[in-house]
Amino acid sequence: MFKEVSEEYINRLYKVFGVLNFILSVFFLFLGDAGFGEKIFGFIVINIGFIMFYFFFKIIENYKGKGNLAWPLFGGLFKFIFGFMSMVISISAVYMFINSTIKSGEINHIFLIGIAVSIFLGGLSLLANYQRRN
């Protein structure tokens, strides 16, 4: 199912959503309901969180498990479950961010969607790599 998704395609999506995330975080600087210091901190958190979560999945994807006796048996299963659950959780998080923005009227929650997209892309990359290797 995920075997057809190439690593180049995922990297291209990551770059496109990275630019969109940056633009969204710039909007947070101007449209957010917080003070100036909180806006700057939120801008930094949104952008670093986007980068950090995606590369966290890349580290898991490249982990070989040297010295770990159980890794050859359960490592692939762990990567599959972790990638699948992260995709499910990120989709749920996007729904929750949009729902809380609509209910509360605070626009600050909507700016966290970029981090959930990063987690989704990382999980997709993990699953695609798992499918290509098996």
PDB file of all heavy atoms in Angstrom, residues 100-132:
ATOM      1  N   SER A 100     -11.289  22.710  18.180  1.00  0.00           N
ATOM      2  CA  SER A 100     -11.120  23.647  19.294  1.00  0.00           C
ATOM      3  C   SER A 100     -11.070  25.085  18.810  1.00  0.00           C
ATOM      4  O   SER A 100     -11.497  25.993  19.527  1.00  0.00           O
ATOM      5  CB  SER A 100      -9.856  23.308  20.092  1.00  0.00           C
ATOM      6  OG  SER A 100      -8.702  23.550  19.327  1.00  0.00           O
ATOM      7  N   THR A 101     -10.580  25.310  17.605  1.00  0.00           N
ATOM      8  CA  THR A 101     -10.585  26.667  17.056  1.00  0.00           C
ATOM      9  C   THR A 101     -12.010  27.127  16.778  1.00  0.00           C
ATOM     10  O   THR A 101     -12.369  28.270  17.072  1.00  0.00           O
ATOM     11  CB  THR A 101      -9.751  26.728  15.761  1.00  0.00           C
ATOM     12  OG1 THR A 101      -8.416  26.337  16.059  1.00  0.00           O
ATOM     13  CG2 THR A 101      -9.756  28.108  15.168  1.00  0.00           C
ATOM     14  N   ILE A 102     -12.816  26.242  16.241  1.00  0.00           N
ATOM     15  CA  ILE A 102     -14.205  26.600  15.934  1.00  0.00           C
ATOM     16  C   ILE A 102     -15.005  26.817  17.213  1.00  0.00           C
ATOM     17  O   ILE A 102     -15.763  27.777  17.326  1.00  0.00           O
ATOM     18  CB  ILE A 102     -14.853  25.520  15.045  1.00  0.00           C
ATOM     19  CG1 ILE A 102     -14.216  25.540  13.660  1.00  0.00           C
ATOM     20  CG2 ILE A 102     -16.354  25.716  14.943  1.00  0.00           C
ATOM     21  CD1 ILE A 102     -14.620  24.398  12.772  1.00  0.00           C
ATOM     22  N   LYS A 103     -14.827  25.932  18.203  1.00  0.00           N
ATOM     23  CA  LYS A 103     -15.604  26.040  19.436  1.00  0.00           C
ATOM     24  C   LYS A 103     -15.216  27.247  20.267  1.00  0.00           C
ATOM     25  O   LYS A 103     -16.077  27.956  20.795  1.00  0.00           O
ATOM     26  CB  LYS A 103     -15.450  24.771  20.271  1.00  0.00           C
ATOM     27  CG  LYS A 103     -16.253  23.616  19.758  1.00  0.00           C
ATOM     28  CD  LYS A 103     -16.142  22.437  20.688  1.00  0.00           C
ATOM     29  CE  LYS A 103     -16.994  21.288  20.199  1.00  0.00           C
ATOM     30  NZ  LYS A 103     -16.892  20.124  21.068  1.00  0.00           N
ATOM     31  N   SER A 104     -13.912  27.468  20.444  1.00  0.00           N
ATOM     32  CA  SER A 104     -13.479  28.529  21.341  1.00  0.00           C
ATOM     33  C   SER A 104     -13.337  29.880  20.646  1.00  0.00           C
ATOM     34  O   SER A 104     -13.355  30.910  21.305  1.00  0.00           O
ATOM     35  CB  SER A 104     -12.142  28.158  21.995  1.00  0.00           C
ATOM     36  OG  SER A 104     -11.105  28.151  21.035  1.00  0.00           O
ATOM     37  N   GLY A 105     -13.162  29.864  19.354  1.00  0.00           N
ATOM     38  CA  GLY A 105     -12.983  31.120  18.635  1.00  0.00           C
ATOM     39  C   GLY A 105     -11.567  31.657  18.728  1.00  0.00           C
ATOM     40  O   GLY A 105     -11.257  32.701  18.164  1.00  0.00           O
ATOM     41  N   GLU A 106     -10.671  30.955  19.434  1.00  0.00           N
ATOM     42  CA  GLU A 106      -9.278  31.380  19.531  1.00  0.00           C
ATOM     43  C   GLU A 106      -8.521  30.815  18.330  1.00  0.00           C
ATOM     44  O   GLU A 106      -8.496  29.615  18.111  1.00  0.00           O
ATOM     45  CB  GLU A 106      -8.646  30.882  20.824  1.00  0.00           C
ATOM     46  CG  GLU A 106      -9.229  31.493  22.058  1.00  0.00           C
ATOM     47  CD  GLU A 106      -8.566  30.963  23.310  1.00  0.00           C
ATOM     48  OE1 GLU A 106      -7.491  30.348  23.193  1.00  0.00           O
ATOM     49  OE2 GLU A 106      -9.131  31.158  24.379  1.00  0.00           O
ATOM     50  N   ILE A 107      -7.883  31.686  17.617  1.00  0.00           N
ATOM     51  CA  ILE A 107      -7.212  31.283  16.384  1.00  0.00           C
ATOM     52  C   ILE A 107      -5.864  30.601  16.661  1.00  0.00           C
ATOM     53  O   ILE A 107      -5.289  29.974  15.780  1.00  0.00           O
ATOM     54  CB  ILE A 107      -7.057  32.504  15.465  1.00  0.00           C
ATOM     55  CG1 ILE A 107      -6.786  32.068  14.044  1.00  0.00           C
ATOM     56  CG2 ILE A 107      -5.974  33.428  15.965  1.00  0.00           C
ATOM     57  CD1 ILE A 107      -6.959  33.150  13.026  1.00  0.00           C
ATOM     58  N   ASN A 108      -5.369  30.681  17.878  1.00  0.00           N
ATOM     59  CA  ASN A 108      -4.044  30.146  18.195  1.00  0.00           C
ATOM     60  C   ASN A 108      -3.940  28.645  17.980  1.00  0.00           C
ATOM     61  O   ASN A 108      -2.867  28.141  17.652  1.00  0.00           O
ATOM     62  CB  ASN A 108      -3.663  30.469  19.635  1.00  0.00           C
ATOM     63  CG  ASN A 108      -3.460  31.946  19.844  1.00  0.00           C
ATOM     64  OD1 ASN A 108      -3.264  32.695  18.895  1.00  0.00           O
ATOM     65  ND2 ASN A 108      -3.512  32.370  21.087  1.00  0.00           N
ATOM     66  N   HIS A 109      -5.018  27.908  18.155  1.00  0.00           N
ATOM     67  CA  HIS A 109      -4.966  26.446  18.040  1.00  0.00           C
ATOM     68  C   HIS A 109      -4.740  25.987  16.600  1.00  0.00           C
ATOM     69  O   HIS A 109      -4.146  24.950  16.375  1.00  0.00           O
ATOM     70  CB  HIS A 109      -6.255  25.821  18.570  1.00  0.00           C
ATOM     71  CG  HIS A 109      -6.522  26.136  19.991  1.00  0.00           C
ATOM     72  ND1 HIS A 109      -5.964  25.418  21.023  1.00  0.00           N
ATOM     73  CD2 HIS A 109      -7.273  27.110  20.572  1.00  0.00           C
ATOM     74  CE1 HIS A 109      -6.373  25.915  22.169  1.00  0.00           C
ATOM     75  NE2 HIS A 109      -7.169  26.953  21.930  1.00  0.00           N
ATOM     76  N   ILE A 110      -5.212  26.749  15.655  1.00  0.00           N
ATOM     77  CA  ILE A 110      -5.127  26.340  14.254  1.00  0.00           C
ATOM     78  C   ILE A 110      -3.687  26.360  13.739  1.00  0.00           C
ATOM     79  O   ILE A 110      -3.351  25.660  12.796  1.00  0.00           O
ATOM     80  CB  ILE A 110      -6.049  27.221  13.371  1.00  0.00           C
ATOM     81  CG1 ILE A 110      -6.377  26.541  12.053  1.00  0.00           C
ATOM     82  CG2 ILE A 110      -5.436  28.559  13.085  1.00  0.00           C
ATOM     83  CD1 ILE A 110      -7.412  25.510  12.171  1.00  0.00           C
ATOM     84  N   PHE A 111      -2.820  27.130  14.386  1.00  0.00           N
ATOM     85  CA  PHE A 111      -1.439  27.249  13.920  1.00  0.00           C
ATOM     86  C   PHE A 111      -0.604  26.011  14.238  1.00  0.00           C
ATOM     87  O   PHE A 111       0.505  25.873  13.736  1.00  0.00           O
ATOM     88  CB  PHE A 111      -0.785  28.497  14.507  1.00  0.00           C
ATOM     89  CG  PHE A 111      -1.430  29.764  14.042  1.00  0.00           C
ATOM     90  CD1 PHE A 111      -2.151  30.549  14.916  1.00  0.00           C
ATOM     91  CD2 PHE A 111      -1.328  30.160  12.724  1.00  0.00           C
ATOM     92  CE1 PHE A 111      -2.750  31.712  14.479  1.00  0.00           C
ATOM     93  CE2 PHE A 111      -1.928  31.319  12.275  1.00  0.00           C
ATOM     94  CZ  PHE A 111      -2.646  32.100  13.159  1.00  0.00           C
ATOM     95  N   LEU A 112      -1.116  25.105  15.037  1.00  0.00           N
ATOM     96  CA  LEU A 112      -0.380  23.882  15.384  1.00  0.00           C
ATOM     97  C   LEU A 112      -0.588  22.760  14.377  1.00  0.00           C
ATOM     98  O   LEU A 112      -0.008  21.685  14.526  1.00  0.00           O
ATOM     99  CB  LEU A 112      -0.798  23.415  16.781  1.00  0.00           C
ATOM    100  CG  LEU A 112      -0.477  24.389  17.908  1.00  0.00           C
ATOM    101  CD1 LEU A 112      -1.086  23.906  19.208  1.00  0.00           C
ATOM    102  CD2 LEU A 112       1.011  24.572  18.052  1.00  0.00           C
ATOM    103  N   ILE A 113      -1.370  23.000  13.352  1.00  0.00           N
ATOM    104  CA  ILE A 113      -1.624  21.973  12.341  1.00  0.00           C
ATOM    105  C   ILE A 113      -0.336  21.562  11.638  1.00  0.00           C
ATOM    106  O   ILE A 113      -0.160  20.403  11.280  1.00  0.00           O
ATOM    107  CB  ILE A 113      -2.686  22.458  11.336  1.00  0.00           C
ATOM    108  CG1 ILE A 113      -4.044  22.455  12.012  1.00  0.00           C
ATOM    109  CG2 ILE A 113      -2.718  21.599  10.090  1.00  0.00           C
ATOM    110  CD1 ILE A 113      -5.161  22.970  11.151  1.00  0.00           C
ATOM    111  N   GLY A 114       0.584  22.480  11.464  1.00  0.00           N
ATOM    112  CA  GLY A 114       1.841  22.170  10.788  1.00  0.00           C
ATOM    113  C   GLY A 114       2.631  21.088  11.488  1.00  0.00           C
ATOM    114  O   GLY A 114       3.257  20.235  10.848  1.00  0.00           O
ATOM    115  N   ILE A 115       2.608  21.077  12.805  1.00  0.00           N
ATOM    116  CA  ILE A 115       3.324  20.048  13.556  1.00  0.00           C
ATOM    117  C   ILE A 115       2.666  18.693  13.343  1.00  0.00           C
ATOM    118  O   ILE A 115       3.349  17.685  13.162  1.00  0.00           O
ATOM    119  CB  ILE A 115       3.390  20.429  15.049  1.00  0.00           C
ATOM    120  CG1 ILE A 115       4.245  21.693  15.218  1.00  0.00           C
ATOM    121  CG2 ILE A 115       3.964  19.286  15.872  1.00  0.00           C
ATOM    122  CD1 ILE A 115       4.254  22.265  16.604  1.00  0.00           C
ATOM    123  N   ALA A 116       1.339  18.654  13.311  1.00  0.00           N
ATOM    124  CA  ALA A 116       0.644  17.390  13.056  1.00  0.00           C
ATOM    125  C   ALA A 116       0.922  16.887  11.639  1.00  0.00           C
ATOM    126  O   ALA A 116       1.065  15.681  11.421  1.00  0.00           O
ATOM    127  CB  ALA A 116      -0.857  17.561  13.278  1.00  0.00           C
ATOM    128  N   VAL A 117       1.033  17.784  10.682  1.00  0.00           N
ATOM    129  CA  VAL A 117       1.370  17.390   9.308  1.00  0.00           C
ATOM    130  C   VAL A 117       2.778  16.804   9.261  1.00  0.00           C
ATOM    131  O   VAL A 117       3.035  15.823   8.564  1.00  0.00           O
ATOM    132  CB  VAL A 117       1.220  18.589   8.346  1.00  0.00           C
ATOM    133  CG1 VAL A 117       1.826  18.285   6.991  1.00  0.00           C
ATOM    134  CG2 VAL A 117      -0.233  18.974   8.208  1.00  0.00           C
ATOM    135  N   SER A 118       3.686  17.386  10.015  1.00  0.00           N
ATOM    136  CA  SER A 118       5.047  16.862  10.076  1.00  0.00           C
ATOM    137  C   SER A 118       5.073  15.452  10.655  1.00  0.00           C
ATOM    138  O   SER A 118       5.796  14.578  10.157  1.00  0.00           O
ATOM    139  CB  SER A 118       5.921  17.792  10.924  1.00  0.00           C
ATOM    140  OG  SER A 118       7.197  17.259  11.115  1.00  0.00           O
ATOM    141  N   ILE A 119       4.294  15.214  11.691  1.00  0.00           N
ATOM    142  CA  ILE A 119       4.211  13.873  12.284  1.00  0.00           C
ATOM    143  C   ILE A 119       3.599  12.904  11.270  1.00  0.00           C
ATOM    144  O   ILE A 119       4.056  11.767  11.136  1.00  0.00           O
ATOM    145  CB  ILE A 119       3.395  13.912  13.594  1.00  0.00           C
ATOM    146  CG1 ILE A 119       4.153  14.714  14.652  1.00  0.00           C
ATOM    147  CG2 ILE A 119       3.097  12.512  14.096  1.00  0.00           C
ATOM    148  CD1 ILE A 119       3.355  15.006  15.893  1.00  0.00           C
ATOM    149  N   PHE A 120       2.593  13.345  10.529  1.00  0.00           N
ATOM    150  CA  PHE A 120       1.986  12.502   9.507  1.00  0.00           C
ATOM    151  C   PHE A 120       2.996  12.138   8.423  1.00  0.00           C
ATOM    152  O   PHE A 120       3.096  10.978   8.019  1.00  0.00           O
ATOM    153  CB  PHE A 120       0.781  13.213   8.887  1.00  0.00           C
ATOM    154  CG  PHE A 120       0.085  12.399   7.839  1.00  0.00           C
ATOM    155  CD1 PHE A 120      -0.837  11.443   8.203  1.00  0.00           C
ATOM    156  CD2 PHE A 120       0.366  12.580   6.495  1.00  0.00           C
ATOM    157  CE1 PHE A 120      -1.477  10.675   7.245  1.00  0.00           C
ATOM    158  CE2 PHE A 120      -0.261  11.820   5.528  1.00  0.00           C
ATOM    159  CZ  PHE A 120      -1.188  10.867   5.901  1.00  0.00           C
ATOM    160  N   LEU A 121       3.762  13.119   7.952  1.00  0.00           N
ATOM    161  CA  LEU A 121       4.754  12.847   6.915  1.00  0.00           C
ATOM    162  C   LEU A 121       5.868  11.940   7.425  1.00  0.00           C
ATOM    163  O   LEU A 121       6.361  11.083   6.694  1.00  0.00           O
ATOM    164  CB  LEU A 121       5.346  14.157   6.390  1.00  0.00           C
ATOM    165  CG  LEU A 121       4.431  15.013   5.541  1.00  0.00           C
ATOM    166  CD1 LEU A 121       5.099  16.333   5.199  1.00  0.00           C
ATOM    167  CD2 LEU A 121       4.022  14.280   4.285  1.00  0.00           C
ATOM    168  N   GLY A 122       6.258  12.105   8.686  1.00  0.00           N
ATOM    169  CA  GLY A 122       7.259  11.215   9.261  1.00  0.00           C
ATOM    170  C   GLY A 122       6.756   9.786   9.366  1.00  0.00           C
ATOM    171  O   GLY A 122       7.471   8.834   9.046  1.00  0.00           O
ATOM    172  N   GLY A 123       5.520   9.617   9.789  1.00  0.00           N
ATOM    173  CA  GLY A 123       4.925   8.281   9.857  1.00  0.00           C
ATOM    174  C   GLY A 123       4.761   7.664   8.477  1.00  0.00           C
ATOM    175  O   GLY A 123       4.995   6.468   8.290  1.00  0.00           O
ATOM    176  N   LEU A 124       4.389   8.479   7.500  1.00  0.00           N
ATOM    177  CA  LEU A 124       4.269   7.997   6.125  1.00  0.00           C
ATOM    178  C   LEU A 124       5.621   7.542   5.595  1.00  0.00           C
ATOM    179  O   LEU A 124       5.735   6.502   4.951  1.00  0.00           O
ATOM    180  CB  LEU A 124       3.680   9.093   5.233  1.00  0.00           C
ATOM    181  CG  LEU A 124       3.508   8.758   3.762  1.00  0.00           C
ATOM    182  CD1 LEU A 124       2.505   7.623   3.594  1.00  0.00           C
ATOM    183  CD2 LEU A 124       3.064   9.989   3.001  1.00  0.00           C
ATOM    184  N   SER A 125       6.654   8.296   5.889  1.00  0.00           N
ATOM    185  CA  SER A 125       8.004   7.926   5.472  1.00  0.00           C
ATOM    186  C   SER A 125       8.443   6.624   6.132  1.00  0.00           C
ATOM    187  O   SER A 125       9.047   5.760   5.490  1.00  0.00           O
ATOM    188  CB  SER A 125       8.978   9.055   5.829  1.00  0.00           C
ATOM    189  OG  SER A 125      10.297   8.680   5.555  1.00  0.00           O
ATOM    190  N   LEU A 126       8.128   6.474   7.402  1.00  0.00           N
ATOM    191  CA  LEU A 126       8.476   5.252   8.132  1.00  0.00           C
ATOM    192  C   LEU A 126       7.752   4.042   7.555  1.00  0.00           C
ATOM    193  O   LEU A 126       8.364   2.986   7.329  1.00  0.00           O
ATOM    194  CB  LEU A 126       8.119   5.437   9.610  1.00  0.00           C
ATOM    195  CG  LEU A 126       8.672   4.472  10.624  1.00  0.00           C
ATOM    196  CD1 LEU A 126      10.185   4.512  10.628  1.00  0.00           C
ATOM    197  CD2 LEU A 126       8.155   4.818  11.999  1.00  0.00           C
ATOM    198  N   LEU A 127       6.473   4.173   7.265  1.00  0.00           N
ATOM    199  CA  LEU A 127       5.714   3.062   6.688  1.00  0.00           C
ATOM    200  C   LEU A 127       6.160   2.739   5.260  1.00  0.00           C
ATOM    201  O   LEU A 127       6.250   1.567   4.889  1.00  0.00           O
ATOM    202  CB  LEU A 127       4.222   3.379   6.688  1.00  0.00           C
ATOM    203  CG  LEU A 127       3.516   3.243   8.028  1.00  0.00           C
ATOM    204  CD1 LEU A 127       2.062   3.629   7.894  1.00  0.00           C
ATOM    205  CD2 LEU A 127       3.629   1.843   8.559  1.00  0.00           C
ATOM    206  N   ALA A 128       6.434   3.764   4.477  1.00  0.00           N
ATOM    207  CA  ALA A 128       6.881   3.528   3.094  1.00  0.00           C
ATOM    208  C   ALA A 128       8.230   2.829   3.084  1.00  0.00           C
ATOM    209  O   ALA A 128       8.443   1.897   2.286  1.00  0.00           O
ATOM    210  CB  ALA A 128       6.949   4.850   2.343  1.00  0.00           C
ATOM    211  N   ASN A 129       9.123   3.224   3.953  1.00  0.00           N
ATOM    212  CA  ASN A 129      10.422   2.563   4.034  1.00  0.00           C
ATOM    213  C   ASN A 129      10.278   1.129   4.515  1.00  0.00           C
ATOM    214  O   ASN A 129      10.951   0.225   4.012  1.00  0.00           O
ATOM    215  CB  ASN A 129      11.353   3.353   4.957  1.00  0.00           C
ATOM    216  CG  ASN A 129      12.778   2.847   4.896  1.00  0.00           C
ATOM    217  OD1 ASN A 129      13.159   2.114   4.002  1.00  0.00           O
ATOM    218  ND2 ASN A 129      13.564   3.266   5.854  1.00  0.00           N
ATOM    219  N   TYR A 130       9.402   0.894   5.451  1.00  0.00           N
ATOM    220  CA  TYR A 130       9.149  -0.467   5.936  1.00  0.00           C
ATOM    221  C   TYR A 130       8.592  -1.346   4.811  1.00  0.00           C
ATOM    222  O   TYR A 130       9.021  -2.495   4.642  1.00  0.00           O
ATOM    223  CB  TYR A 130       8.174  -0.423   7.116  1.00  0.00           C
ATOM    224  CG  TYR A 130       7.726  -1.787   7.568  1.00  0.00           C
ATOM    225  CD1 TYR A 130       8.549  -2.592   8.344  1.00  0.00           C
ATOM    226  CD2 TYR A 130       6.479  -2.281   7.209  1.00  0.00           C
ATOM    227  CE1 TYR A 130       8.152  -3.845   8.742  1.00  0.00           C
ATOM    228  CE2 TYR A 130       6.067  -3.538   7.604  1.00  0.00           C
ATOM    229  CZ  TYR A 130       6.905  -4.312   8.385  1.00  0.00           C
ATOM    230  OH  TYR A 130       6.503  -5.554   8.777  1.00  0.00           O
ATOM    231  N   GLN A 131       7.653  -0.811   4.043  1.00  0.00           N
ATOM    232  CA  GLN A 131       7.051  -1.577   2.947  1.00  0.00           C
ATOM    233  C   GLN A 131       8.075  -1.853   1.839  1.00  0.00           C
ATOM    234  O   GLN A 131       8.048  -2.929   1.250  1.00  0.00           O
ATOM    235  CB  GLN A 131       5.873  -0.810   2.356  1.00  0.00           C
ATOM    236  CG  GLN A 131       4.675  -0.749   3.277  1.00  0.00           C
ATOM    237  CD  GLN A 131       3.958  -2.072   3.396  1.00  0.00           C
ATOM    238  OE1 GLN A 131       3.925  -2.832   2.458  1.00  0.00           O
ATOM    239  NE2 GLN A 131       3.406  -2.327   4.567  1.00  0.00           N
ATOM    240  N   ARG A 132       8.958  -0.899   1.560  1.00  0.00           N
ATOM    241  CA  ARG A 132       9.970  -1.113   0.522  1.00  0.00           C
ATOM    242  C   ARG A 132      10.986  -2.185   0.937  1.00  0.00           C
ATOM    243  O   ARG A 132      11.464  -2.930   0.104  1.00  0.00           O
ATOM    244  CB  ARG A 132      10.701   0.183   0.214  1.00  0.00           C
ATOM    245  CG  ARG A 132       9.925   1.111  -0.685  1.00  0.00           C
ATOM    246  CD  ARG A 132      10.791   2.250  -1.176  1.00  0.00           C
ATOM    247  NE  ARG A 132      11.252   3.120  -0.102  1.00  0.00           N
ATOM    248  CZ  ARG A 132      10.601   4.200   0.311  1.00  0.00           C
ATOM    249  NH1 ARG A 132       9.463   4.533  -0.229  1.00  0.00           N
ATOM    250  NH2 ARG A 132      11.097   4.950   1.272  1.00  0.00           N
TER     251      ARG A 132
END
